[in-house]
Amino acid sequence: MTAAPLGVEKDPASLGFDPARLARIDTHFRRYVDDGRLASWQAVVARDGHVVHSSEYGRRDEEADLPVEPDTRWRIYSMSKPITSVAALILFERGELELTDPISRWLPAFAEPRVYVKGSSTAPLTIPSPEPIRVWHLLTHTAGLTYGFHHAHPVDELYRARGFEWGVPEGMDLAACVDAWASMPLVHTPGTEWNYSHATDVLGRLVEVVSGQSLDEFLQAEILGPLGMTSTAFASDDPSRTAALYALGPGRTRVRADAMGEPFLRPATWLSGGGGLVSTASDYHRFTQMLAGGGEVDGVRILGSRTVAYMGRNHLPGGADLEQVGRPLFAEMPFHGVGFGLGVSVVVDPAAYRTLTSPGEMAWGGAASTAFWVDPVERITGMFFTQLLPSSAHPIRSQFRALVYQALVD
């Protein structure tokens, strides 16, 4: 099975959408291209498994004057995380790991984690962690790991000093990266706070050790292949069809970011389950429909329905939202009214979220302003693709949701 280019599959009106109102999506986001904020974008909306809106606009490579097309490849960055999380849950379903297992069972470098208490990055005071890092801590970003690009904590500075910011030191594979992260202090005791981090990259290594396969092999055999996601990989299968990467530069002008984008166009030196995949709208649509279908789409079952429902529960301590237990730093979604499940954000209070959606929405996004969500109440999925760093540059995600839900009139 291969993911075919997406087109509107059913009359939007038959699924509760006003077609004229849906057209506002294109009218609004075309302005983003026309005034220079974005080079291009692609948007897809589906309900009950049927695509009701699919559009793209702009140039995937502005300087080369190449148009965005339905099969354009996009760097999805952290939209890789839900895929890697599903991989771990497949192993959980098979009884090969427990969510409560200490990860040191498979990754001995994490046998004696230490937690930062105070001090500078050059002379940190640490103590032995009173709690081991467990599998569920990796899935929920409560492990105490971090990212070098946060610039919010002395441990972040330690990561940067070791060469971990928006990449990894040259020549390091995933196993070596994991050992390096294990040698550095944790930002907090596992299970007590939420800190966006390399946790999903560590989870990818865990998948490798438990399964006995490399992460790319496991994903291909268990998720990408069965779902027909033929253009999703750790390097673009067609660099000529891959959108150029841009970043917000001085004065909020958009500049090319080829140095950051180029690694996705050649074989990966390390397999980042947290942010290394390239995909297409048609491929990722298959993944969202699997989640929306309770683990199954078109007769292909990846997870059990109860596992997907459990994935979409808020697993943060005490049922808190990210505002209560999350560190005030970079994230792909707002914190108010949003909890975190097993690899995805979970809306617990749409009113606090200040965004049109439903309780139980599963979602996440990527650093280059890509995003998806799965709404189990309204049975809607939405995806938006573009290539602009950082994801906080423009309020694309909240605007896209508003434009979709205002068109729902059933």
Side-chain angles (χ1 to χ4, degrees):
M1 182 183 295
T2 300
L6 293 173
V8 174
E9 300 172 334
K10 203 164 183 179
D11 176 16
S14 70
L15 288 170
F17 282 97
D18 181 330
R21 283 178 165 262
L22 273 178
R24 293 176 179 175
I25 296 172
D26 295 356
T27 300
H28 178 77
F29 285 114
R30 281 174 181 165
R31 289 195 288 266
Y32 269 81
V33 173
D34 293 343
D35 65 18
R37 283 174 287 174
L38 298 177
S40 64
W41 52 263
Q42 187 172 11
V44 180
V45 183
R47 194 179 202 196
D48 291 334
H50 299 285
V51 175
V52 296
H53 185 89
S54 180
S55 59
E56 60 277 335
Y57 187 68
R59 289 167 287 179
R60 69 177 187 270
D61 187 320
E62 195 167 51
E63 289 71 23
D65 198 25
L66 297 174
V68 63
E69 295 177 306
D71 65 347
T72 291
R73 276 66 169 164
W74 309 94
R75 298 164 191 81
I76 61 171
Y77 282 102
S78 287
M79 280 168 60
S80 308
K81 287 180 169 68
I83 296 176
T84 301
S85 299
V86 166
L89 290 172
I90 289 172
L91 296 174
F92 164 67
E93 285 193 328
R94 294 174 181 172
E96 296 186 41
L97 57 79
E98 294 281 339
L99 298 182
T100 53
D101 283 338
I103 65 171
S104 58
R105 175 179 171 186
W106 300 279
L107 305 175
F110 282 101
E112 297 180 354
R114 298 186 67 85
V115 180
Y116 171 92
V117 176
K118 64 180 180 179
S120 67
S121 62
T122 56
L125 174 65
T126 66
I127 60 171
S129 177
E131 168 74 4
I133 299 176
R134 303 181 188 275
V135 175
W136 77 268
H137 296 143
L138 296 180
L139 283 160
T140 58
H141 290 282
T142 59
L145 299 165
T146 193
Y147 273 127
F149 59 70
H150 284 327
H151 294 259
H153 191 279
V155 176
D156 306 343
E157 190 175 341
L158 275 174
Y159 276 58
R160 293 195 298 275
R162 296 281 293 273
F164 299 103
E165 188 167 6
W166 282 100
V168 305
E170 187 174 354
M172 290 187 77
D173 62 10
L174 179 57
C177 291
V178 167
D179 286 346
W181 298 325
S183 72
M184 290 184 275
L186 302 178
V187 173
H188 58 75
T189 299
T192 61
E193 298 182 51
W194 187 91
N195 192 65
Y196 200 44
S197 71
H198 279 294
T200 314
D201 292 316
V202 177
L203 189 69
R205 177 59 183 158
L206 189 70
V207 168
E208 290 188 327
V209 176
V210 174
S211 70
Q213 297 175 275
S214 64
L215 184 58
D216 56 347
E217 291 172 341
F218 187 89
L219 294 183
Q220 180 60 38
E222 303 292 345
I223 301 173
L224 306 180
L227 290 178
M229 297 172 65
T230 56
S231 296
T232 302
F234 287 105
S236 176
D237 65 331
D238 191 345
S240 68
R241 306 198 70 80
T242 304
L245 183 65
Y246 297 89
L248 206 60
R252 296 189 62 80
T253 58
R254 181 168 48 82
V255 297
R256 283 185 75 105
D258 288 337
M260 291 188 66
E262 193 272 337
F264 291 85
L265 306 181
R266 51 181 165 81
T269 57
W270 72 294
L271 303 179
S272 172
L277 291 174
V278 176
S279 191
T280 62
S282 55
D283 270 20
Y284 213 86
H285 175 69
R286 297 288 295 173
F287 184 74
T288 64
Q289 297 316 296
M290 181 275 294
L291 293 178
E296 183 271 340
V297 59
D298 293 341
V300 176
R301 180 162 291 283
I302 304 298
L303 290 175
S305 60
R306 272 49 171 194
T307 305
V308 174
Y310 190 64
M311 179 182 180
R313 294 177 67 90
N314 180 21
H315 288 258
L316 294 181
D321 67 5
L322 291 172
E323 179 64 22
Q324 294 169 298
V325 300
R327 297 228 162 193
L329 40 75
F330 170 88
E332 300 298 349
M333 299 288 177
F335 279 11
H336 290 280
V338 182
F340 207 83
L342 301 180
V344 290
S345 63
V346 179
V347 172
V348 293
D349 184 352
Y353 190 32
R354 299 292 188 267
T355 302
L356 282 172
T357 190
S358 303
E361 174 209 89
M362 294 185 288
W364 205 238
S369 303
T370 60
F372 84 95
W373 82 85
V374 176
D375 181 337
V377 177
E378 298 289 357
R379 312 177 311 283
I380 290 172
T381 60
M383 304 184 300
F384 191 92
F385 299 91
T386 187
Q387 296 285 258
L388 180 69
L389 297 165
S391 61
S392 58
H394 305 294
I396 290 171
R397 293 165 184 171
S398 59
Q399 291 176 355
F400 184 40
R401 279 180 175 79
L403 288 160
V404 170
Y405 284 91
Q406 62 84 32
L408 192 62
V409 295
D410 68 345

